[in-house]
Amino acid sequence: MKKIFLLYITLLSTFLGYAQVFEPVSWKTSIEKISEDESYLVATATIDSGWHLYGQEIPSGGPRPTVFTFQPNESYELIGKTSEDEGITEDDKIFKMKIKYFSFKATFKQKVKLLQKDVKIDAQVQFMVCDDTRCLPPKTEDLFFSTGSSNSSKKQNTDKAEMSDEEASALLYGISNNDIKQPEEDLNSIDGETSNSNVKKKNESSSLLSIFGLGFLGGLLALLTPCVFPMIPLTVSFFTKKDSSKGAGISKAVLYGFFILAVYLLLSIPFHLLDSINPDILNEISTNIWLNVIFFVVFVFFAGSFFGFYELTLPSSWTNKTTEGESSGGILGIFFMALTLAIVSFSCTGPILGSLLAGSLSSDGGAWQLTSGMAGFGVALGLPFTLFAMFPNMLKSLPKSGGWMTTVKVVLGFLELALAFKFLSNADLVAHWNLLKIEPFLILWIIIFAGLAFYLFGKIKFPHDSPMQKIGIPRIGLGVISLAFAIYLATGFRYNEETKTFTPLSLLSGLAPPVGYSILHPNSCPNNLTCFKDLKEGLAYAKKENKPIMLDFTGYACVNCRKMEEHVWPIQKVDNVLRNDYVLISLYVDDKKELPKEEQIIVNRINGGTRKLSNYGHKWSHFQTVFFKTNTQPYYVLLSSDGKQILNNPVGYTPDEDEYLNWLLDGKEKSKNTLNNLFNQSDLLK
């Protein structure tokens, strides 16, 4: 037990302080000829010392096996299954079972029949590696097999991209990274105000602080549920009565509160590991179509639990194990008490944590935002146990447990149901299904919040509701707020003559679909602006009009992008500059529309390794990362009309309208100076 406890603490300090990237396996591919029409596709893994790669057949309960997937095409046919080296089969120290694994090197062969002379075969390998103390998450690598003289200079292993970075950039974007010059002068200020780099840092810290606040609010809501609230006086009494010394009881209660925080922080560790392996992975997860559909189903399921139709519980064996750990006594026993609280309260805290997880994955900060939210949740949940242990007389001021806690759960159920449609909307936007546009979304939310109001007024009942003699003032007040919010949602159907769309609702930015995503008033660009969603087309138009460019790296599921588009861009003085002085090119990094076959190439990642560009989101994400060394959205870059000069320092989310306007005007002025310099140079040459 002590070893487990020390492992938890070590992991917490290690991953929250520094996330190291492990790449213990590299892959190479080749084609080995057998006869005129048969060959082996050979994949060779080179494994770092001390690490194990596992075979293709693994017993249940063991690590993930190595799995190969070959994409079918007309140039070949698979013959039989993939073979592998003999390897080593022995008792594994981590999984406590006999497992086949490979050390240092492993070769896998797939026999194929070649139907054409020149063959290109795409494949993937999913694998997992462990050493004697840890395992890395399963990883997927793209493999590429090619034969024929026409491809002799192309990629024959996964260590290199299919073409050089310059060739890839020329094919995909029409420009190379070397073509784009940095700002001619480093802007330390904009009109004497805050620098862009400081703005970015301020926005990042503000975002972390805001999600900490949301996590804290979620923790307070969890405290009011039937799973947690009754535990407060019981636990405080346990600490204050068990020890004869009041100081000892308080110190244990403080430690208990700290361990509650630590348990929830530990839940964010795997996401730091994923983020360090691939910086794009959390964005890929958050914008994955089917994952958002799963979130929708799960949130509806959570809502049903809060409504009282069924209970969500973790396996009882988990509770039994942690309860046994409590008997260890001392610090370790207190830790297991905190872990037991987290497990037994899951039916109430699970849906709230699920909302926190999904919201963090859908925002720009990724793993650190999740850690910040978990920290807020843990602090809110652990703080009352510490405070009431220090001041036990405060327990008398706590309201008694009762039917009001069921009301809290049902209210949370309505909120979970509303959030479910937010994730279904994300999937609809990214997949271009054109189903959940702004009109049906608003109607569904109006029904949900009107239903919440009717519930609070006692017109609707759920299974666990107690008979009501009268409706309390807090319940009436919350019902009025819910009904007012439903009416507010209805005002989203007001038509705006200037933008030719519905009027965006400030409280729904990033939650509802964009107002231009409409059945009645469709508009593909925000605020009826003229925009381009293809880089080459936008560059050509900018050259023709001799106007500077604003690159808008955005996303269909990006909350802060919608806030900028719906609340900063429509302001008259900002709109005038965007509409008249710039060519807007909006590049959606989460667009899942498939790329043309000739653009589906393998490219180098900026932090090493390769990736295949399969859709437009991959393409624009790669462009942003390689050319501008960032992968957050929104991200705005001002370029000269030829697309070769960055006019000033790019910015991210900038909700201050004056700050954003000054940045646009500064770029406009830099564009004029660039043109004047070109004309002067032209005169000198003459």
Side-chain angles (χ1 to χ4, degrees), residues 196 199-200 203 564 632-636 650-655 660:
N196 292 329
V199 170
K200 184 178 178 182
N203 289 334
M564 290 295 295
T632 62
Q633 292 82 42
Y635 192 71
Y636 305 111
V651 298
Y653 176 59
T654 312
Y660 191 70

Side-chain angles (χ1 to χ4, degrees), residues 657-675:
E657 61 189 74
D658 292 326
E659 198 167 34
Y660 191 70
L661 177 64
N662 288 336
W663 175 75
L664 289 171
L665 293 174
D666 179 81
K668 178 182 173 182
E669 188 64 30
K670 292 289 193 304
S671 175
K672 290 180 180 178
N673 294 339
T674 301
L675 285 173

Side-chain angles (χ1 to χ4, degrees), residues 289-362:
I289 296 168
W290 299 112
L291 186 61
N292 274 280
V293 172
I294 290 171
F295 275 141
F296 165 72
V297 174
V298 168
F299 273 53
V300 171
F301 188 67
F302 282 160
S305 170
F306 274 152
F307 289 150
F309 297 125
Y310 41 79
E311 289 293 327
L312 289 177
T313 57
L314 292 175
S316 58
S317 59
W318 293 20
T319 309
N320 295 335
K321 290 287 185 183
T322 55
T323 305
E324 289 173 11
E326 293 178 21
S327 61
S328 303
I331 295 176
L332 194 60
I334 296 172
F335 172 77
F336 277 102
M337 283 184 66
L339 191 57
T340 302
L341 173 69
I343 292 173
V344 299
S345 63
F346 176 79
S347 62
C348 294
T349 60
I352 300 172
L353 287 172
S355 306
L356 190 61
L357 169 63
S360 299
L361 289 178
S362 300

Side-chain angles (χ1 to χ4, degrees), residues 615-656:
N615 55 50
Y616 281 93
H618 290 163
K619 177 180 177 177
W620 303 132
S621 177
H622 173 261
F623 176 61
Q624 182 186 5
T625 305
V626 169
F627 281 70
F628 304 105
K629 308 299 185 291
T630 184
N631 63 345
T632 62
Q633 292 82 42
Y635 192 71
Y636 305 111
V637 183
L638 302 183
L639 297 174
S640 57
S641 58
D642 61 0
K644 294 184 178 182
Q645 175 71 55
I646 300 177
L647 299 174
N648 57 12
N649 290 335
V651 298
Y653 176 59
T654 312
D656 187 301

Side-chain angles (χ1 to χ4, degrees), residues 108-169:
F108 301 84
K109 294 184 177 182
Q110 173 63 56
K111 193 174 183 180
V112 295
K113 182 178 181 180
L114 304 182
L115 305 178
Q116 296 177 7
K117 183 179 178 181
D118 294 338
V119 176
K120 288 183 179 181
I121 300 172
D122 290 316
Q124 285 186 331
V125 56
Q126 186 182 64
F127 61 96
M128 181 175 178
V129 288
C130 302
D131 63 10
D132 290 338
T133 60
R134 62 197 157 188
C135 291
L136 300 184
K139 187 176 180 182
T140 301
E141 287 274 5
D142 292 319
L143 302 179
F144 181 78
F145 301 86
S146 176
T147 182
S149 58
S150 62
N151 297 305
S152 58
S153 64
K154 302 286 183 173
K155 174 178 174 280
Q156 290 295 327
N157 60 67
T158 54
D159 293 338
K160 296 181 180 178
E162 195 173 85
M163 55 181 67
S164 68
D165 290 341
E166 290 76 14
E167 290 175 319
S169 295

